[in-house]
Amino acid sequence: MSSYLGRSENSDSTHSQNVRLKGRIVKQKMVHNAVAFLDTNFNDITVDTSEFIGDKLLIVKNTTGQSCNVTLYGNLEGSNQTYASFGSAYVVSGNGAASVLGRNVFGAALAGPVLSITVRVKFDTAPTSGSVTTALMGVEG
Amino acid sequence: MPQETPEAIEWALTQSVYYEYADIYVKVTSNTPQELVDKVRQYFNEHEIEYTSFSYDDLKPYL
């Protein structure tokens, strides 16, 4: 009696409907994965951003108790220039609150098509506790 | 990483981190990378253990 449960009795394909699934994949790329810094040196990490389309966001979480400077650089293919800076350094306080930075801070780096982005973290005063996390988020094309 | 890293992690995993800006406590687990790193660093400092810059990726083999 229950043999027809879960089956369609109409096998005529002309009655089928086209179903189009639409969506997008938001991806996160970890850049600095909770790095416990001990010095005031430049700390640069480059990530491939070629698969992102549209706007990207940079998340920065600093728990060191010291403010850090964050700068973005783009790598120019075929140029003698290794780096091209996207705007000036952004200061992230060390209270542990995550900063969400977008095109309003770093302009083209986070708004346009960029092959790769180098995220630089630098402290003016060497931190003795805590760490820094940076991550890029975007929509995969 | 210092040889005391396993005991530092063991201690860290019993801790919580307080964020004053949000007035919240976050329990440290292996899935809270930043809180784990911060507590391991605190353990190194309090026990006067020498260490160089490290990240969550350096702790993964011990988890």
Side-chain angles (χ1 to χ4, degrees), chain B residues 1-7 44 49-50 62:
Chain B
M1 293 299 294
Q3 61 180 13
E4 296 88 349
T5 301
E7 59 214 53
F44 290 159
I49 297 166
E50 285 191 24
Y62 299 91

Side-chain angles (χ1 to χ4, degrees), chain B:
Chain B
M1 293 299 294
Q3 61 180 13
E4 296 88 349
T5 301
E7 59 214 53
I9 290 175
E10 187 179 355
W11 175 79
L13 292 173
T14 66
Q15 301 298 303
S16 292
V17 175
Y18 176 65
Y19 290 110
E20 189 176 353
Y21 75 90
D23 193 24
I24 56 166
Y25 284 90
V26 175
K27 170 124 181 56
V28 178
T29 73
S30 58
N31 292 318
T32 58
Q34 192 144 17
E35 287 74 20
L36 179 61
V37 166
D38 292 359
K39 283 297 177 183
V40 167
R41 184 174 192 175
Q42 182 182 331
Y43 185 93
F44 290 159
N45 287 340
E46 290 176 355
H47 292 79
E48 297 181 342
I49 297 166
E50 285 191 24
Y51 62 95
T52 56
S53 290
F54 66 95
S55 72
Y56 178 66
D57 294 332
D58 298 309
L59 300 183
K60 281 180 181 174
Y62 299 91
L63 298 174

Side-chain angles (χ1 to χ4, degrees), chain A residues 79-130:
Chain A
S79 166
N80 292 329
Q81 222 178 335
T82 306
Y83 289 140
S85 172
F86 288 108
S88 51
Y90 185 85
V91 179
V92 178
S93 68
N95 65 357
S99 296
V100 182
L101 311 173
R103 64 157 71 192
N104 57 322
V105 177
F106 289 114
L110 298 182
V114 181
L115 281 176
S116 63
I117 290 176
T118 299
V119 181
R120 170 174 289 175
V121 174
K122 187 189 180 309
F123 285 89
D124 292 331
T125 304
T128 56
S129 65

Side-chain angles (χ1 to χ4, degrees), chain A residues 36-55:
Chain A
F37 292 100
L38 275 82
D39 53 42
T40 58
N41 297 332
F42 293 139
N43 192 284
D44 297 354
I45 296 180
T46 301
V47 291
D48 179 7
T49 53
S50 60
E51 70 264 39
F52 286 146
I53 57 168
D55 280 20

